[in-house]
Amino acid sequence: MDCFDKKQTCIEVRDLTMAYGDFMIQHDLNFTVNRGDIFIIMGGSGCGKSTLLRNMVGLQPPARGKVLYGGASFWESGPEEKKTIMRRFGVLYQSGALWSSMTLAENVALPLSEYTRLSQAEIAELVSLKLALVGLAGFEEFYPSEISGGMCKRAGIARAMALDPDILFFDEPSAGLDPISARRLDELIIELRDSLGTTVIVVTHELASIFAIGNNSVFLDAETRTMIGVGAPGELLKESRDPKIRRFLTRGEK
Amino acid sequence: MDIAFDRRADDTLVVHLGGNWNIANGLAATDELEKLLATKPLPAKVAFEAGKLGDWDSSLLAFLSKLAACCSSKSIEVVSRGLPTGVARLLELASAVPENKDARKERRRAPLLSRVGEAVLEAGQAIEEMLVFLGEACISFCKLIRGKARFRGSDLALLLQECGVQALPIVSLISLLVGLILAFVGAVQLRLFGAQIYVADLVGIAMAREMGAMMTAIVMAGRTGAAFAAQLGTMQVNEEIDALKTMGISPMDFLVLPRMLALVLMLPLLCLYANLMGIVGGGIVGVAMLDISPIHYFNETVAALRIMQFVPGLIKAVVFGILVALSGCLRGMQCKRSASAVGESATSAVVTAIVAIIVSDAILTVIFDRIGI
Ligand SMILES: Nc1ncnc2c1ncn2[C@@H]1O[C@H](COP(=O)(O)OP(=O)(O)OP(=O)(O)O)[C@@H](O)[C@H]1O
Ligand SMILES: [Mg+2]
C-alpha cells in the first residue's frame, strides 16, 4: 500500500455529509490533513465531532462525499484495502472503550499479538513501555473497572498507540485528566509527531491544548450544520471574524 | 537493527545503534549487553552513538528502557546525549511518572486449604446475599401493597408485553409438543389393554397439574430470566444502578418489583394457555393415531378435568414466576463491572431459576398430595 508514502497529504475530506438516518448532522465538510499534522476538530457539544471521527476511521459510511487516504477513497475501496488502511489507525474512543474483561496489559497486548510475531516476553516489555508513556507504569494487572475514569482514558491512549500507528485519532483525550497529566499528554502527542512522524487528529475542547499542540484545525458549527472555519488555531483566533469561533476560542468573552 | 559495543578507556561503555528498528521484526535481545554490564570492573557510564540509526519505533524505546532499568539497578550512569532528541524525550516521558509499586499485583496461587476455606466463606456470603435480596424484595412488595413503591407504569406495561404476548409462540410450540409426547408415551402403554381413550385423561391431568406450569416456567427462565439478568447486569456495568441509588430511588422498587409483578401476573396466564395447547397436542395424537373421534376425546378430557385440577398448576405457576423473576434480578444485581460478568450472570440466572423450579415443584407436589388437592 503506497498511500502512506512520505507524501504531504495524508487525509482529504471531500464534500463529506454525515447523517443518522434522515437526521443530518453535518454537511459539505472539506479539509485536508497533512502528514505530521496535529489536527484539531473543534465545535460545541453535540455538533458531530465524534460522528466525524466515526466516518473517518471507517465505522460509519458517510451519507455523501469521500474520505481519501493518500489519494485512495476509503469508502470505495474493497474490504482488503479497507483493512490495510484501518491497520494504520490507532483510535481512542470518547468513552475509552477498554475491553472490560481484560486487564490493562491484555488490552494493550491484544493488537500486538494479533498483528506482530513478537514473543510473550517482548509483548510484555512493549506493553509496559506504552503504559509508562501514559503514566500508568505498574497498573498492568488492573481491570478497567478497578481504575479511575482518567486512567481509563490514558489506558485507551496506550492501546491506541500499541502498534505505532501512522494516524492516531483521539476523541477528547484530556477529558477527565488533571492539568498536569493533560500537559504531559500534550507533550506525548508532540513527541509522537516529531519523532515517529505520526499524524494526530484530536477532538478536544481544551483551549490550552488546542493552542499548544494544534497546527491545523476545523471548526464545526451545530446551527448551520457545517464547518465555519479551517486553519491553524492561533490564526483563527487572530483573523477569524466569525463571532462563534471567536467566542469559542476566547471562552465566551465578547 | 544493529547493535555494537566498545569500551573506552574512561570506563564508558559505548553502545552503537544503527539500521532500521521496526516492531514487526521483533525486539532486540539485551542478554549480551547485560552480560557486559555485569563483568567486572563495571563500567561507570553507558553512552550512545546513533549516527547510523535509520527509522525507528517503539522497539528501540523498549530496548533502551530495558537497558536503562538494568543500568539503574547497578547504579551505572546512562548518558543519553548521543541519542536522537525524540528518543531521549520519549524515554523521559515514560519515566516521568514513577511506577506505582503498591499497585503491582502478585498472581500467586494460594494453598489448597486456604482456597477451600475461601470457597466456603464465599458460599456463606452468597447465601447471605440471597437472603438479603429476598428480604428487600419482600419489603418492596409490602411497600407496593401500601401504595408507596415507585416505578413507572410504562415500564410495567412493556414488561408485561415482553413476558406475556411475546412469549406466546415459543410457549405454544413447546407445550403442543409436550402434549404430543405425553400422548405418545401413554398411547403405547394404554393400547396394550385397549384403554386408548384414557390418553385424554392422562394428557389433561398431566398438563394441568404438572407439565403446563413446569414447561412454561423453564421456557420463561431461559427467555425472560436471562434477559432480566443481562439488563440489570448491563445497568450495573454502566453505573446506571448507582445513579438510581444516589437519586434516592430504590433499584428494588424501580427495577426488580415491576419485573416480579410482570412474571407473577403473566406466568399463570401462560400456564393456562400451555395447558390448552398441550391438550390440543394430545388430541392430535388421539385422533390421528388412536382413531378416537374429536368429540369423544373432548368429552373425555372435560370429564377428567374438574376445575380443582387446575389449582395446583396455577399455584405452581405463581411460585415459579416469583422464582424466575427473583433469580434473574438477583444475578443481575450481583453482576460485576465487566462484559463477561454480564454473560456469567445471565447463565447463572438460568441455572438458579431451573434448579429452584425443580426443587420447589417437588416440594409443592408432596404438599398438594398431603392436603389432597
Ligand atoms: N447513534 C445515533 N443515532 C442518532 N443520532 C445520533 C447518534 N449518535 C449521535 N447522534 C446525534 O449526532 C449529533 C452529534 O453527536 P456527536 O456524538 O458526534 O457529538 P460531539 O460533537 O462528539 O459531541 P460531544 O462534544 O458532546 O462529544 C448529536 O446531535 C446526537 O444527537
Ligand atoms: Mg463526542
Side-chain angles (χ1 to χ4, degrees):
Chain A
M1 208 66 195
D2 62 345
C3 68
F4 287 90
D5 272 349
K6 309 263 172 192
K7 273 188 218 154
Q8 258 323 94
T9 349
C10 180
I11 312 173
E12 286 172 86
V13 171
R14 292 280 159 263
D15 305 321
L16 186 75
T17 298
M18 351 181 254
Y20 287 105
D22 288 337
F23 182 45
M24 200 239 290
I25 309 289
Q26 287 280 326
H27 65 88
D28 297 303
L29 302 181
N30 277 294
F31 57 87
T32 304
V33 181
N34 289 324
R35 212 186 144 76
D37 265 359
I38 295 178
F39 190 93
I40 313 276
I41 300 175
M42 303 182 274
S45 183
C47 68
K49 302 179 296 297
S50 301
T51 312
L52 175 57
L53 275 197
R54 288 175 58 82
N55 277 268
M56 291 173 78
V57 300
L59 288 175
Q60 183 188 339
R64 203 152 45 73
K66 290 178 182 176
V67 182
L68 306 163
Y69 285 95
S73 169
F74 180 86
W75 288 103
E76 282 159 21
S77 32
E80 281 308 310
E81 288 157 341
K82 269 191 190 147
K83 243 191 208 161
T84 3
I85 299 181
M86 285 172 87
R87 280 266 299 278
R88 309 296 189 95
F89 297 164
V91 186
L92 166 72
Y93 299 90
Q94 190 165 3
S95 58
L98 294 174
W99 297 302
S100 54
S101 36
M102 299 186 200
T103 62
L104 296 195
E106 287 166 339
N107 263 282
V108 182
L110 186 68
L112 286 168
S113 51
E114 277 298 301
Y115 290 120
T116 63
R117 282 203 208 95
L118 300 174
S119 69
Q120 286 303 316
E122 290 173 331
I123 289 180
E125 243 172 76
L126 279 171
V127 166
S128 302
L129 173 74
K130 302 283 165 169
L131 286 175
L133 276 174
V134 293
L136 286 178
F139 286 93
E140 280 86 348
E141 297 304 321
F142 277 66
Y143 283 91
S145 56
E146 299 170 336
I147 59 175
S148 75
M151 287 159 86
C152 278
K153 255 303 159 47
R154 285 186 278 154
I157 293 171
R159 185 179 70 181
M161 299 191 310
L163 287 166
D164 290 329
D166 292 324
I167 309 176
L168 278 168
F169 295 90
F170 287 163
D171 198 346
E172 307 205 4
S174 49
L177 294 191
D178 62 282
I180 299 169
S181 308
R183 171 79 186 267
R184 207 174 281 132
L185 182 62
D186 286 352
E187 281 169 27
L188 177 64
I189 292 177
I190 291 178
E191 270 325 312
L192 288 175
R193 191 266 310 268
D194 287 352
S195 44
L196 300 181
T198 316
T199 307
V200 194
I201 308 208
V202 190
V203 172
T204 181
H205 300 295
E206 197 116 337
L207 285 178
S209 94
I210 290 177
F211 291 118
I213 64 174
N215 65 340
N216 201 354
S217 66
V218 59
F219 193 100
L220 306 184
D221 179 38
E223 281 162 31
T224 55
R225 303 216 178 142
T226 186
M227 52 188 256
I228 53 174
V230 64
E235 275 161 32
L236 275 183
L237 175 64
K238 250 188 280 161
E239 284 157 17
S240 177
R241 296 268 137 260
D242 196 306
K244 281 181 203 151
I245 299 184
R246 296 204 63 80
R247 260 213 312 279
F248 189 97
L249 290 177
T250 55
R251 282 193 102 197
E253 291 162 27
K254 50 189 142 162
Chain B
M1 201 160 63
D2 312 320
I3 315 168
F5 328 99
D6 74 69
R7 187 143 178 179
R8 301 261 164 86
D10 58 348
D11 261 2
T12 311
L13 182 73
V14 181
V15 182
H16 298 269
L17 303 167
N20 292 332
W21 293 62
N22 190 331
I23 36 174
N25 305 330
L27 298 188
T30 48
D31 312 352
E32 204 180 335
L33 246 182
E34 273 169 32
K35 223 184 286 164
L36 268 179
L37 287 174
T39 44
K40 303 237 155 79
L42 293 182
K45 290 186 206 164
V46 172
F48 299 95
E49 198 280 312
K52 295 205 191 71
L53 189 62
D55 282 346
W56 54 271
D57 62 11
S58 311
S59 56
L60 177 63
L61 295 178
F63 170 76
L64 289 174
S65 66
K66 201 167 169 194
L67 181 61
C70 180
C71 287
S72 77
S73 71
K74 298 195 173 69
S75 48
I76 300 172
E77 192 191 342
V78 178
V79 186
S80 54
R81 219 176 303 125
L83 292 172
T85 47
V87 178
R89 290 235 290 280
L90 279 174
L91 283 178
E92 221 170 89
L93 269 178
S95 55
V97 180
E99 177 178 330
N100 186 339
K101 287 258 164 42
D102 301 335
R104 207 171 271 294
K105 289 186 194 168
E106 277 179 53
R107 275 205 192 150
R108 203 154 35 86
R109 222 170 142 69
L112 178 70
L113 260 179
S114 77
R115 270 183 286 148
V116 171
E118 265 163 28
V120 171
L121 287 180
E122 260 171 36
Q125 211 182 352
I127 292 174
E128 192 189 320
E129 270 177 26
M130 208 182 274
L131 290 177
V132 169
F133 186 84
L134 265 180
E136 283 176 359
C138 287
I139 294 175
S140 281
F141 199 73
C142 295
K143 274 210 270 185
L144 174 77
I145 292 172
R146 284 187 295 147
K148 279 192 182 156
R150 276 193 294 176
F151 58 83
R152 299 193 311 170
S154 58
D155 279 356
L156 181 62
L158 208 67
L159 283 164
L160 283 173
Q161 189 185 342
E162 261 172 34
C163 333
V165 182
Q166 289 178 6
L168 282 180
I170 178 85
V171 169
S172 318
L173 180 70
I174 300 280
S175 39
L176 189 77
L177 291 180
V178 168
L180 273 174
I181 295 167
L182 281 176
F184 241 78
V185 175
V188 175
Q189 302 302 321
L190 291 172
R191 212 162 27 183
L192 290 180
F193 31 94
Q196 291 98 312
I197 186 60
Y198 290 109
V199 163
D201 299 51
L202 173 77
V203 172
I205 291 176
M207 283 311 290
R209 292 188 70 102
E210 192 63 50
M211 297 311 280
M214 170 114 115
M215 291 318 291
T216 317
I218 287 179
V219 167
M220 293 311 272
R223 201 183 162 276
T224 311
F228 286 175
Q231 283 166 3
L232 297 189
T234 312
M235 292 185 77
Q236 194 75 266
V237 173
N238 293 338
E239 298 179 276
E240 292 170 48
I241 292 187
D242 296 348
L244 278 177
K245 279 185 195 155
T246 48
M247 296 210 162
I249 301 173
S250 148
M252 224 51 202
D253 293 3
F254 196 78
L255 299 172
V256 176
L257 205 52
R259 286 177 168 71
M260 244 161 66
L261 277 180
L263 264 186
V264 169
L265 289 176
M266 280 303 153
L267 227 130
L269 295 182
L270 281 175
C271 168
L272 280 180
Y273 175 74
N275 294 343
L276 179 69
M277 290 311 286
I279 290 167
V280 170
I284 292 174
V285 172
V287 172
M289 197 176 120
L290 303 174
D291 295 327
I292 306 170
S293 79
I295 304 286
H296 198 177
Y297 191 94
F298 175 78
N299 287 339
E300 185 63 32
T301 305
V302 172
L305 283 180
R306 296 271 133 260
I307 204 75
M308 275 309 280
Q309 299 286 15
F310 286 99
V311 172
L314 286 181
I315 295 177
K316 280 178 186 173
V318 171
V319 173
F320 295 163
I322 295 175
L323 290 175
V324 170
L326 275 181
S327 46
C329 294
L330 169 71
R331 296 306 181 208
M333 299 292 275
Q334 284 175 334
C335 182
K336 306 227 169 46
R337 287 180 53 191
S338 77
S340 60
V342 176
E344 275 162 29
S345 66
T347 311
S348 113
V350 177
V351 173
T352 316
I354 290 181
V355 170
I357 288 168
I358 307 281
V359 170
S360 64
D361 189 27
I363 296 174
L364 285 176
T365 307
V366 172
I367 294 178
F368 292 152
D369 183 59
R370 287 281 134 177
I371 60 177
I373 49 174

